[in-house]
Amino acid sequence: MNARHWPLYVGLALLAWLAPVSSVLAQEQKAGTETLPQIIKRIQPSTVVVLTYDEKGEPIAQGSGFFVSRAGHIITNRHVLEAASRAEIKTSQGKVYPISHIIAEDKEGDLVLASVDIPASSVQPLKLSDTIPQVGQRVVVIGNPLGFEGTVSDGIVSAVRDIPAFGKIIQISAPISPGSSGSPVMDMKGRVIGIATFLMTEGQNLNFAIPSQRALKLKPNKPKTFAEWQKGLADELLSLADGVYLRGLVLVWTDNWKKALPFLERAVEKKTQYSRAWFYIGYCRGKQGRHEDAISAFKQAIRVDPNDGRAYANLGVAYWKLGHQREAVSALEEAIRIEPNDAAAYASLSNAYRELGRSEESLSALKKSVTVDRYAIFRENHYRQLSDWKLGHHNEAILALKDAVRIDPTDPVRQLALSRIYCELGQYSQAYIGYASAIHIKPDYAEAHLGLARVYAVFELRDAAISAYKEAIRIAPQNSDVYHELGLQYGELDRHQEAISAYKEAIRLDPRRVVSHLSLGLEYCQIGEKGLAIEEYKILKQLNDSKLTRGFANFLLKEILDE
């Protein structure tokens, strides 16, 4: 095939590949998706305003909630009720009924299941979905923001974050204001996929929803009267440890590791046996690259709770990051002993085995990870292992990833992982399709733009490669690899000044990058700047005394002398 026409053929192939997906989506819409007005009309009678009062009967604030059973049970956010001496709900028909009991609660998830004294004939319960929505999926929130009852807002699922030891949390673009806390978040089939929670940090409103999957775990216990529940809250608030811990947890949700740490550290100062706070201290320290400090915190979490499997798993990852592979294996094996279905722990154990040269055990652990959770490998830092297999198992990896893409063609991570294996096998046309699909799903996916640029480079489509490299840089400007590879493409087109600028940027980001110093020196030779080339030769001589670096330096010196 003529390389000049290659993108056209691949583009046609991509359209053919996407056609079945479009057909399926069209059939789903025809079969089950309601229009927005239909969803609102059906859901509004199930939503309520939650009104709270102090001990004098004065109104404090209001939130939102919705019915989940004919028995008059509602779900709302825990924080909506925390400051109240009593509470009641107002239905969409304007009738008011008291909240009599708290049936179940999830403190970390900010959820309560409450009982309302209301006739069953007045209740229209909603069904909670047991699945996590997809990024990009359209959603609707029906709540009571700032006192405006029955307000509807819509948007999309912006992200699904997986927080260790907490679980998943959904970030949405639909605005959530005070008063909307506890609102149902619906998909376009009218299913509750989450419970809206209003959070504010650093002066910014953050639109989150707790997955309904988590709310399904709110199993009724012995009911507490509202007064009994409030007494328990008062006792809890005598220690501020929980309060500062929860503030820290909110910051963990938003990836503010550095800002979360002071709250978490204050929590363990006030309550030294706070295992969850110790865990997140370790987690935040690890995210900042402070792995020794993270190990210390995870050990504290394990001291308080010796059966904390996630603490052992994260301890193992911290050891792995520091190159202490035997300690990593020991911690991860203990994590798996405690939680035999922890797919992420198996995937991390696979990493540690591989670093120790125990290839078959590495493969066995990775397979176990997939057996436990077929999607575990697609989580950050684990899905790459499939394309790193050096044991001749590429076909197994391709089959696993093809199956995953078939099940969910809208996940860009799976498309990317499959493309990487195709590249390793030299099947670049197939790789192109995956990279292009990943970008279509997630336009700001830097790794997919980088992969696409490399495919263009293989086919010597220099201008297309340069455009793709520039897009990767726009999204993630701190990657020295991308600047170096961009410089190579400019050099192939004899655009020497642009190549020099790219190599300089690669060196700025990584001053000890040997190949960029060599390439920069060679570009200086091309434009007759021998003096500058000699400076790069001197830098190469000083970087380190490895055989490779000496070879590069000598090669550059030969090029300078030959000019």
Side-chain angles (χ1 to χ4, degrees):
M1 184 190 300
N2 189 316
R4 190 180 299 112
H5 301 299
W6 178 78
L8 174 61
Y9 291 119
V10 173
L12 292 172
L14 178 59
L15 287 173
W17 181 81
L18 288 174
V21 177
S22 301
S23 175
V24 170
L25 292 175
Q27 290 172 10
E28 281 187 2
Q29 185 170 7
K30 186 176 180 181
T33 305
E34 299 174 273
T35 64
L36 186 55
Q38 288 172 329
I39 291 173
I40 295 166
K41 184 177 180 180
R42 178 166 67 82
I43 300 306
Q44 271 190 327
S46 304
T47 62
V48 300
V49 182
V50 179
L51 304 165
T52 60
Y53 304 90
D54 64 17
E55 65 278 1
K56 296 179 181 178
E58 296 293 327
I60 301 174
Q62 73 176 51
S64 303
F66 57 97
F67 289 110
V68 291
S69 81
R70 287 281 181 191
H73 294 167
I74 66 163
I75 284 179
T76 187
N77 283 145
R78 188 175 187 266
H79 76 258
V80 170
L81 301 176
E82 280 179 338
S85 291
R86 68 178 182 89
E88 55 193 18
I89 63 138
K90 182 162 70 171
T91 67
S92 60
Q93 291 79 33
K95 295 183 178 180
V96 176
Y97 301 93
I99 293 178
S100 59
H101 292 81
I102 301 299
I103 307 298
E105 63 181 320
D106 176 352
K107 188 188 302 183
E108 281 195 337
D110 192 27
L111 298 174
V112 292
L113 180 67
S115 179
V116 178
D117 285 339
I118 184 172
S121 59
S122 300
V123 175
Q124 293 188 36
L126 297 177
K127 187 175 181 180
L128 298 171
S129 172
D130 62 355
T131 59
I132 298 294
Q134 298 174 4
V135 173
Q137 188 172 328
R138 192 177 175 198
V139 294
V140 179
V141 180
I142 303 176
N144 310 289
L146 302 171
F148 294 98
E149 297 176 12
T151 299
V152 177
S153 61
D154 68 334
I156 63 166
V157 175
S158 307
V160 177
R161 300 173 182 270
D162 198 349
I163 310 298
F166 177 85
K168 290 183 170 58
I169 186 165
I170 304 164
Q171 190 165 359
I172 59 177
S173 64
I176 300 173
S177 302
S180 289
S181 293
S183 300
V185 179
M186 320 292 298
D187 64 13
M188 294 308 292
K189 291 184 179 179
R191 300 174 299 193
V192 180
I193 55 94
I195 298 89
T197 184
F198 172 73
L199 300 173
M200 177 174 283
T201 181
E202 301 298 310
Q204 178 186 7
N205 292 2
L206 301 170
N207 307 319
F208 283 112
I210 305 299
S212 55
Q213 193 179 69
R214 183 164 182 142
L216 283 168
K217 298 176 183 176
L218 284 170
K219 300 303 180 186
N221 270 323
K222 181 182 177 182
K224 295 179 182 177
T225 66
F226 198 80
E228 289 171 341
W229 183 70
Q230 276 298 325
K231 183 178 184 305
L233 281 183
D235 293 340
E236 176 185 300
L237 291 173
L238 290 176
S239 165
L240 296 178
D242 286 331
V244 292
Y245 164 72
L246 290 171
R247 289 186 68 185
L249 184 59
V250 167
L251 290 164
V252 171
W253 290 357
T254 58
D255 296 344
N256 286 319
W257 326 117
K258 188 174 181 180
K259 292 174 182 175
L261 263 176
F263 292 104
L264 297 167
E265 287 167 348
R266 279 173 57 197
V268 296
E269 285 174 10
K270 296 175 180 297
K271 185 177 174 182
T272 57
Q273 301 297 99
Y274 210 148
S275 63
R276 290 293 81 192
W278 280 118
F279 174 87
Y280 281 114
I281 289 170
Y283 180 70
C284 291
R285 288 173 177 174
K287 283 293 184 179
Q288 296 178 67
R290 297 167 53 190
H291 302 301
E292 292 281 5
D293 293 334
I295 286 170
S296 175
F298 289 132
K299 284 182 175 179
Q300 288 285 2
I302 291 165
R303 176 186 60 79
V304 177
D305 181 3
N307 291 313
D308 188 344
R310 295 305 300 148
Y312 274 109
N314 281 265
L315 176 63
V317 170
Y319 277 131
W320 175 75
K321 294 273 189 181
L322 291 172
H324 303 330
Q325 306 305 340
R326 287 179 177 79
E327 291 88 345
V329 166
S330 177
L332 289 161
E333 287 178 341
E334 183 63 15
I336 291 165
R337 185 192 66 78
I338 296 168
E339 296 184 18
N341 292 323
D342 188 344
Y346 280 110
S348 298
L349 182 60
S350 174
N351 274 337
Y353 279 143
R354 184 174 52 183
E355 293 293 333
L356 290 169
R358 295 159 64 174
S359 300
E360 290 299 334
E361 289 168 287
S362 174
L363 178 58
S364 176
L366 187 59
K367 284 184 174 180
K368 183 65 177 178
S369 173
V370 178
T371 302
V372 170
D373 178 356
R374 69 191 306 174
Y375 300 131
I377 52 172
F378 304 113
R379 299 196 182 102
E380 203 63 35
N381 299 325
H382 295 310
Y383 74 89
R384 292 179 179 84
Q385 291 176 69
L386 272 179
S387 51
D388 286 344
W389 281 0
K390 304 299 181 187
L391 302 170
H393 297 278
H394 292 102
N395 288 336
E396 291 180 44
I398 286 175
L399 288 174
L401 284 163
K402 275 186 171 180
D403 184 50
V405 169
R406 179 186 59 78
I407 292 169
D408 184 3
T410 65
D411 184 349
V413 175
R414 301 174 196 195
Q415 301 280 4
L416 183 78
L418 182 57
S419 291
R420 283 179 165 166
I421 299 177
Y422 280 133
C423 280
E424 189 169 324
L425 295 174
Q427 298 179 27
Y428 296 107
S429 297
Q430 293 294 327
Y432 173 91
I433 293 173
Y435 287 133
S437 299
I439 292 167
H440 176 75
I441 297 163
K442 184 180 177 182
D444 280 352
Y445 200 175
E447 291 183 82
H449 285 286
L450 177 56
L452 190 63
R454 288 168 174 167
V455 170
Y456 284 140
V458 167
F459 284 92
E460 299 183 3
L461 300 168
R462 308 295 179 197
D463 289 329
I466 287 169
S467 294
Y469 279 123
K470 284 183 174 179
E471 190 64 13
I473 288 169
R474 180 189 67 78
I475 300 163
Q478 301 302 315
N479 189 335
S480 64
D481 289 344
V482 184
Y483 283 103
H484 180 83
E485 293 175 31
L486 176 61
L488 293 175
Q489 297 307 308
Y490 280 134
E492 291 290 338
L493 294 174
D494 294 327
R495 292 162 64 175
H496 301 298
Q497 290 297 341
E498 290 164 292
I500 287 169
S501 295
Y503 292 135
K504 282 183 174 179
E505 190 62 22
I507 291 167
R508 183 187 70 79
L509 293 169
D510 183 1
R512 301 186 64 81
R513 190 181 180 89
V514 171
V515 291
S516 294
H517 284 289
L518 171 64
S519 299
L520 181 57
L522 293 173
E523 286 297 331
Y524 282 140
C525 289
Q526 289 289 322
I527 62 174
E529 292 283 358
K530 285 191 176 182
L532 293 174
I534 288 170
E535 289 302 313
E536 293 306 312
Y537 165 74
K538 290 178 180 178
I539 292 171
L540 280 171
K541 292 285 284 184
Q542 294 170 358
L543 278 178
N544 60 55
D545 196 32
S546 73
K547 184 176 180 180
L548 179 63
T549 305
R550 289 199 303 273
F552 280 160
N554 292 334
F555 176 76
L556 178 56
L557 181 61
K558 183 178 181 299
E559 290 294 311
I560 294 169
L561 297 175
D562 286 346
E563 283 294 316

